[in-house]
Amino acid sequence: TMPPQHQIPTTLCTAGIRVVAPYWIAVNLAIQGEKEDTYGKVLARMMIHQDAKGANRWRNSIKPSISWWIEELEAGRVTQKVDGNDTGQVISADDLLATTSKVKLQAQYHYHEQSIMYNLKDRSDLILYQDEQYLIVNKPVGVDVLENPAAGRVHNSLPGLLNSLPGLLNTKIMPAHRLDRPVSGVVCCGITNKDIKRLQQRIQKGQTSKTYVARVQIPPSGLPKLPLTIETQIGFDNTKSLAHVVEAEAPAKEATSSDGGGDGKHSKTVVQECIRTIEQDNTAIVTIRLFTGRKHQIRCHLQHVGMSIANDHRYGGKRTAPPLSAFGLPNPPKELMEMLQSAWKEANHSNCTFCEFEQKLLKMESSSSLKTSDEMLGPSVNTGIWLHSWKYAFPTLGMEFEAPLPQWAQGQSH
């Protein structure tokens, strides 16, 4: 029996997190074999190839592994599409391939999303401005600007949050620019493709004004004289997902507002002024103007001048907040347990390792026997860094938007 499909999953906001109940999605896998090959034999070869590429790549992915496909095939829960036509026929591991050209295997996968930090009280906390052309959003920390299905964040992405609001259901809202997942603040979206392009053209031409707020570590010698212009070449290491200043002898390339994926892209950041200092942890709240849009540019530039964002451990800062459990542990809320138990029950007949993991984690008797506090909390949510997109202006369109300052920028604990 094939599992059911749920189009709109249940969500729950509790204990400072937003949890999406596991739901079914349609998945497919393209395979190709030789004459006299069986489906089981082709998948076995693919699994050997997958293992050679490294198991960690698959463990860190929400997508089903080849071993999952093999188990689903053996359980009689896989159909096929041949030459674009859905046969609807359930196939087994011993069946011969229908053709030596490409075949698509089809199945239903029990999809588990990552939880996100969530403290929004009403619509006005998320929507800063809306008209027939534009939607301006105050993006929460830990939220992807675009759907990220490979990482397990679809309904818990910015489009997912917007689509959950009355009046925006099933509306395709697309941002005109990106904002890193751990960063909060203004994100400008267009209602139609034409509206998005109108914003993007101005961003690409540098016809915008972008102001950020950051809470930085004060150097031992004290804050430098402000305003401070930081103008370097920045490269990005995709394998480590880290930006770095490139000390190149060659002249810097011309500045653009697009992302600098390679080494040596010209980058300019200006730390404008200090609006507050916090003596308890020797930090300062500073405003920043961004003149180019390189990936992790502000984080990299602040570290370069010895003023790392105080809680950005990837760029020289220190962790200051305790981890926040993705399941509300050590005392998961009753309504969260009930929602997950319902999903586990529905998936009982399926081969879902995520359900098994969650059940073991949330059993009180097993939780009490865990040794460390991190283990007791299980997976944690992204609690963000002290960097906030404060103001975003389009002078040629006569538009300027501002997001409220977060608590940490007011000198309070995060």
Side-chain angles (χ1 to χ4, degrees):
T1 305
M2 298 298 291
Q5 293 188 61
H6 287 175
Q7 298 300 320
I8 303 175
T10 303
T11 59
L12 179 67
C13 301
T14 181
I17 56 175
R18 186 177 193 262
V19 184
V20 178
Y23 55 97
W24 297 100
I25 61 170
V27 291
N28 57 65
L29 179 69
I31 66 170
Q32 188 169 10
E34 300 172 0
K35 195 175 181 181
E36 303 302 318
D37 264 345
T38 63
Y39 291 97
K41 208 180 277 187
V42 173
L43 286 177
R45 284 202 299 267
M46 290 176 71
M47 190 162 78
I48 292 171
H49 178 62
Q50 175 183 296
D51 290 343
K53 288 169 75 174
N56 284 336
R57 175 177 172 270
W58 289 91
R59 288 198 192 101
N60 294 331
S61 174
I62 300 297
K63 294 180 180 179
S65 64
I66 302 299
S67 60
W68 178 88
W69 279 101
I70 292 173
E71 290 181 24
E72 289 296 291
L73 194 63
E74 292 171 348
R77 293 194 287 262
V78 178
T79 61
Q80 65 178 347
K81 184 181 281 188
V82 182
D83 296 328
N85 299 314
D86 189 352
T87 66
Q89 177 187 355
V90 176
I91 55 176
S92 71
D94 296 328
D95 288 343
L96 292 173
L97 259 65
T99 174
T100 54
S101 59
K102 282 190 177 179
V103 173
K104 273 192 177 179
L105 303 186
Q106 301 178 125
Q108 296 295 318
Y109 184 62
H110 204 224
Y111 189 76
H112 289 242
E113 293 209 19
Q114 289 186 5
S115 302
I116 58 172
M117 187 174 176
Y118 193 84
N119 293 307
L120 305 183
K121 295 176 182 177
D122 54 42
R123 181 190 179 99
S124 63
D125 289 338
L126 185 62
I127 306 297
L128 298 172
Y129 174 82
Q130 182 179 1
D131 62 20
E132 294 179 353
Q133 294 176 305
Y134 309 112
L135 184 69
I136 312 303
V137 181
N138 183 16
K139 184 185 85 68
V141 299
V143 174
D144 295 275
V145 167
L146 298 174
E147 292 181 355
N148 192 346
R153 296 183 295 272
V154 177
H155 291 275
N156 266 347
S157 66
L158 186 59
L161 292 181
L162 293 173
N163 286 159
S164 70
L165 298 175
L168 292 176
L169 297 176
N170 301 317
T171 304
K172 189 176 181 181
I173 304 294
M174 293 295 291
H177 57 94
R178 57 175 174 73
L179 187 65
D180 290 345
R181 185 160 70 101
V183 182
S184 60
V186 179
V187 172
C188 304
C189 307
I191 302 298
T192 67
N193 288 337
K194 187 176 180 180
D195 299 327
I196 296 165
K197 287 180 181 177
R198 190 181 301 113
L199 296 178
Q200 289 178 334
Q201 285 172 354
R202 282 154 178 81
I203 293 169
Q204 290 163 3
K205 291 177 181 178
Q207 298 174 349
T208 59
S209 173
K210 295 173 277 187
T211 305
Y212 287 71
V213 172
R215 184 165 170 174
V216 301
Q217 295 173 172
I218 299 176
S221 58
L223 286 174
K225 184 179 178 181
L226 301 180
L228 172 67
T229 299
I230 312 165
E231 197 161 4
T232 72
Q233 290 175 277
I234 283 184
F236 195 84
D237 187 335
N238 287 310
T239 59
K240 297 178 181 177
S241 193
L242 284 173
H244 56 274
V245 170
V246 178
E247 305 291 352
E249 295 180 2
K253 296 182 181 180
E254 286 299 314
T256 67
S257 295
S258 59
D259 180 36
D263 280 352
K265 293 289 186 178
H266 176 267
S267 309
K268 181 180 178 181
T269 307
V270 175
V271 183
Q272 290 184 297
E273 63 176 333
C274 173
I275 58 177
R276 187 178 290 109
T277 58
I278 298 95
E279 293 181 3
Q280 295 95 312
D281 60 0
N282 196 40
T283 59
I285 311 297
V286 296
T287 60
I288 298 163
R289 282 286 308 277
L290 189 65
F291 289 88
T292 52
R294 312 303 174 204
K295 197 170 185 179
H296 296 189
Q297 176 179 322
I298 295 176
R299 301 164 71 181
C300 178
H301 268 172
L302 289 175
Q303 181 186 34
H304 182 62
V305 295
M307 296 167 57
S308 293
I309 295 170
N311 69 341
D312 188 1
H313 70 281
R314 303 204 71 213
Y315 287 91
K318 299 176 181 178
R319 293 178 184 267
T320 56
L324 179 62
S325 170
F327 296 102
L329 291 168
N331 300 304
K334 181 182 177 182
E335 62 268 28
L336 175 58
M337 290 293 293
E338 290 173 350
M339 183 181 78
L340 292 176
Q341 284 167 352
S342 176
W344 299 335
K345 184 178 180 182
E346 184 183 86
N348 190 46
H349 66 281
S350 73
N351 160 37
C352 183
T353 55
F354 290 99
C355 279
E356 292 174 9
F357 169 76
E358 290 172 5
Q359 289 179 69
K360 289 178 182 177
L361 179 69
L362 292 168
K363 278 185 179 176
M364 296 305 292
E365 61 267 26
S366 62
S367 294
S368 61
S369 66
L370 294 174
K371 295 180 180 179
T372 69
S373 57
D374 283 351
E375 286 177 323
M376 289 186 72
L377 291 175
S380 60
V381 300
N382 185 315
T383 53
I385 59 174
W386 289 341
L387 179 62
H388 180 68
S389 174
W390 186 25
K391 298 177 181 179
Y392 211 115
F394 295 86
T396 59
L397 295 176
M399 301 193 306
E400 181 175 353
F401 308 104
E402 180 178 326
L405 290 175
Q407 286 186 345
W408 57 257
Q410 301 170 34
Q412 303 175 40
S413 300
H414 188 38

